[in-house]
Amino acid sequence: MAVVVGIVLALIVAAVVLVAAARSAAHEGENPVADLVSAWRERGGPSGAARAEVAEAAPVDVSLTEFLQANVEQGDAYLQVDELADRLQRATDATRRAMPGSPGHADRRSA
């Protein structure tokens, strides 16, 4: 019974959100309900117009090497190896200090 009540409440909340979106989008000339209906109709696959557009497209023959060379990013890499190594070393040192019996362990009771 609790599951049915939860499902009904979720459907009511979804309907309220959809109505609120439709009202707010009406000022901008959009219609989320129409978009939802058209997406529901096309859920089985692309529409005829989309299939025709794909059929008319010419294939692109590019080797992997050419593709990768054309998309090379210049500048610093996202990950810096030296920075990662420094962080790993600090984490290792902190772990050794925290673990009893390790060579770098700082015994707090003796201090």
Side-chain angles (χ1 to χ4, degrees):
M1 184 65 175
V3 173
V4 174
V5 170
I7 291 172
V8 169
L9 286 174
L11 290 173
I12 291 171
V13 169
V16 169
V17 168
L18 187 60
V19 168
R23 285 189 179 171
S24 67
H27 299 294
E28 299 172 4
E30 298 175 0
N31 189 354
V33 177
D35 293 341
L36 180 64
V37 169
S38 67
W40 184 261
R41 286 184 187 144
E42 294 176 5
R43 73 187 180 281
S47 65
R51 277 185 257 145
E53 183 179 331
V54 169
E56 291 175 4
V60 177
D61 292 327
V62 177
S63 70
L64 180 61
T65 305
E66 291 172 342
F67 175 76
L68 293 176
Q69 287 175 348
N71 294 311
V72 172
E73 292 284 330
Q74 299 297 325
D76 289 341
Y78 180 72
L79 296 175
Q80 300 293 328
V81 177
D82 294 336
E83 183 180 329
L84 290 174
D86 290 342
R87 288 185 183 191
L88 181 60
Q89 186 62 43
R90 286 194 306 260
T92 303
D93 293 343
T95 303
R96 283 189 182 139
R97 286 191 303 269
M99 291 183 60
S102 66
H105 177 67
D107 190 10
R108 293 185 179 142
R109 287 178 281 165
S110 62

